[in-house]
Amino acid sequence: MSDTVRLTCIECPTGCALTVLVEEGKAVSVEGYGCRRGRDYAIAEVDCPVRILTSTVAAQGLSVRMVPVRSSQPIPRGCLMDAMNAIRALTIDRPVRAGDVLVEDILGLGADIVATRDVERD
Amino acid sequence: MQERELVVVGGGPAGMAAALAAREHGVQDVLLLERDRHLGGILNQCVHAGFGLVHFKEALTGPEYAGRFIRSMRGTPGIEVKTGCFVAELKPGKVLTCLSTGEVSTIRTRALVMATGCRERTREMIQIPGTRPAGVFSAGLAQKMMNIEGLLPGREVVVIGSGDIGLIMARRLSLEGVEVKAVVEIQPHAVGLKRNVVQCLEDFGIPLHLSHRVLWIHGKDRVEAVDIAQVDDSGNEIAGTRFSLRCDTVLVSVGLIPENELIEMAGVEVDRHTNEPVSSDLNYTSVPGLFVCGNAYRVYDIVDSVTRDSFLAGQQAAEYLAENGGVR
């Protein structure tokens, strides 16, 4: 039993139109991609869609009010809200550098939550 | 009055690239003026990922993209950065009046790069009828409220216009538990990038109403609802398609216009329709030695292109200085 799935690639602003042949829930062929990232995106999107999560964390006594953060790796789309709840519970009261890990292996998903901006004391 | 070789106005991606390139091409004295406390410009509030695929060959967030340039600026001797400094006036002869806390100063510069970015079009510019309650924000302002100030603009939101900032804010609000009821686009196609329709709307089940317009904003003190209808090719309401959505907040994402008030003050020619400087070639203006780059020159789709073209502006300013009396 095979199925054809049409997707728009989200890896870059080009937004290539992808056609994926799916058999038993797995991508067996991808057409329309312009680069390797697009092909990988299509395969993952059929199997288990993943997204980079970005948000902000409240800061105390620092040079900004909100510290921007991201997941170090894409995480399953279905887990975004749970990860948000975990991030929302955080506050940061010490200086951080972009790339510093704030939450290791969030929800056991294999991605860290890292700061994306250097923040000093106020 | 201070005398300088090169002043760059604006510390976003355009201004930083111009300052760095000017130094690289031999300008000894570069002064960059930024009104905010921090360098980085609009990138600081663009916390989402997707920047830098061309320039850095990886998908960075806005603050990460800015951070790489901020570190380069710090590591480059000969660039003086003044933050918290607002340029209030530009006079012919490249004379700037600058305001900073407790100080008004005047600077005459031999070359000038204006990297003042752009502004959002507002509700008033697209004439959405209705009352004038609190809760109507431009999408970028809502982005600043959330990502810089830590304030939630509302609980139930309708987005007018499908520009990229509106789409990105629809996702950002959804992630914070806000209900985004719809994005309403008068065109028959989304204005923003397709990738943003997918990852910002479809991922969160947010309806996109194409060929629809908001007819009326309701509410006395605060937004209470909007009326929406489908429109024909001429933008006229199609009978029988009208519906209302209850909401407490309306975000307007209907495009950007270059910010060029300062150069207009100095008599530089600006196109009345686009607000872009009248220009013979990339970054040039009607005044020799006065360059405009980045979103102030024209509104760009991606920051990587701003970086590329603004590096050129720094080089052009260096060449102008070399051709007009050399470095003093």
Side-chain angles (χ1 to χ4, degrees):
Chain A
M1 181 66 194
S2 69
D3 209 355
T4 302
V5 177
R6 290 180 198 286
L7 300 169
T8 300
C9 182
I10 64 168
E11 291 295 317
C12 89
T14 310
C16 292
L18 308 174
T19 307
V20 193
L21 189 65
V22 181
E23 280 176 12
E24 291 168 359
K26 296 281 177 196
V28 292
S29 76
V30 183
E31 284 173 27
Y33 59 89
C35 71
R36 178 68 188 263
R37 299 170 74 103
R39 189 174 149 272
D40 293 348
Y41 168 77
I43 293 166
E45 195 69 4
V46 169
D47 184 32
C48 170
V50 293
R51 300 287 184 263
I52 292 279
L53 177 62
T54 62
S55 187
T56 55
V57 172
Q60 283 178 347
L62 301 179
S63 58
V64 298
R65 284 190 190 157
M66 306 302 289
V67 179
V69 302
R70 68 179 291 171
S71 59
S72 58
Q73 302 292 326
I75 63 174
R77 192 174 64 189
C79 299
L80 289 176
M81 293 314 261
D82 288 341
M84 278 299 294
N85 288 334
I87 290 171
R88 211 175 287 116
L90 302 173
T91 55
I92 299 175
D93 57 6
R94 60 181 169 85
V96 290
R97 308 281 295 167
D100 282 1
V101 175
L102 305 176
V103 182
E104 227 170 283
D105 191 17
I106 188 161
L107 307 176
L109 297 171
D112 301 327
I113 298 300
V114 301
T116 60
R117 184 176 182 179
D118 297 346
V119 179
E120 295 92 44
R121 277 198 201 290
D122 200 9
Chain B
M1 176 153 45
Q2 262 191 72
E3 305 269 348
R4 307 295 297 235
E5 290 286 309
L6 172 64
V7 171
V8 177
V9 178
M16 291 194 287
L20 288 164
R23 273 300 288 141
E24 199 173 301
H25 287 87
V27 181
Q28 298 296 314
D29 168 40
V30 179
L31 171 65
L32 185 146
L33 305 174
E34 166 56 47
R35 65 183 171 188
D36 196 73
R37 271 183 72 187
H38 307 279
L39 290 176
I42 208 68
L43 288 170
N44 287 332
Q45 72 183 56
C46 299
V47 302
H48 56 281
F51 303 93
L53 281 162
V54 178
H55 189 73
F56 291 113
K57 310 287 180 232
E58 56 183 308
L60 303 173
T61 66
E64 288 171 323
Y65 190 98
R68 295 195 178 190
F69 282 88
I70 293 169
R71 278 189 281 281
S72 296
M73 295 282 288
R74 291 204 180 116
T76 307
I79 299 178
E80 182 189 345
V81 174
K82 202 169 173 193
T83 53
C85 178
F86 179 75
V87 178
E89 189 181 32
L90 176 63
K91 286 187 220 160
K94 306 189 191 78
V95 177
L96 301 144
T97 307
C98 311
L99 308 178
S100 41
T101 308
E103 185 193 18
V104 181
S105 56
T106 312
I107 303 168
R108 183 196 302 277
T109 182
R110 291 179 59 218
L112 179 61
V113 175
M114 300 296 286
T116 47
C118 57
R119 283 187 183 275
E120 296 184 277
R121 297 178 75 213
T122 62
R123 173 187 176 181
E124 286 68 28
M125 291 178 188
I126 56 163
Q127 297 174 338
I128 305 162
T131 56
R132 302 178 60 79
V136 182
F137 305 104
S138 63
L141 175 60
Q143 188 179 47
K144 184 178 184 182
M145 289 169 71
M146 291 185 75
N147 296 343
I148 303 291
E149 307 293 341
L151 303 169
L152 213 51
R155 290 285 171 198
E156 294 179 302
V157 177
V158 169
V159 181
I160 300 177
S162 61
D164 285 310
I165 310 170
L167 301 179
I168 282 157
M169 284 311 295
R171 172 177 61 185
R172 185 78 187 92
L173 288 158
S174 300
L175 285 170
E176 293 291 354
V178 172
E179 188 183 355
V180 180
K181 296 215 163 168
V183 174
V184 182
E185 172 56 56
I186 196 165
Q187 306 283 337
H189 54 85
V191 173
L193 296 169
K194 274 183 272 177
R195 68 188 297 216
N196 285 333
V197 173
V198 172
Q199 64 185 348
C200 299
L201 301 187
E202 292 173 12
D203 273 5
F204 296 91
I206 299 167
L208 171 61
H209 297 294
L210 298 172
S211 299
H212 279 68
R213 68 186 296 178
V214 169
L215 302 169
W216 199 266
I217 296 176
H218 294 276
K220 185 164 173 286
D221 298 321
R222 180 80 195 190
V223 174
E224 290 168 12
V226 294
D227 293 342
I228 299 166
Q230 197 177 343
V231 293
D232 61 23
D233 293 345
S234 323
N236 298 316
E237 179 184 354
I238 297 174
T241 63
R242 187 184 285 221
F243 62 100
S244 289
L245 290 177
R246 292 199 64 79
C247 57
D248 59 20
T249 302
V250 172
L251 297 195
V252 181
S253 178
V254 291
L256 303 165
I257 38 174
E259 167 70 15
N260 280 310
E261 279 181 341
L262 284 168
I263 63 168
E264 266 196 290
M265 281 184 200
V268 180
E269 275 185 73
V270 172
D271 183 297
R272 284 269 128 251
H273 183 64
T274 61
N275 227 41
E276 294 169 0
V278 174
S279 180
S280 59
D281 207 352
L282 182 62
N283 304 328
Y284 282 89
T285 68
S286 59
V287 173
L290 195 164
F291 302 89
V292 175
C293 67
N295 282 339
Y297 182 79
R298 67 175 171 88
V299 173
Y300 284 79
D301 285 330
I302 61 170
V303 68
D304 302 73
S305 312
V306 168
T307 295
R308 179 198 63 212
D309 288 358
S310 301
F311 274 136
L312 179 65
Q315 183 183 339
Q316 289 163 331
E319 285 164 1
Y320 170 82
L321 286 168
E323 287 161 11
N324 290 271
V327 175
R328 284 181 301 195

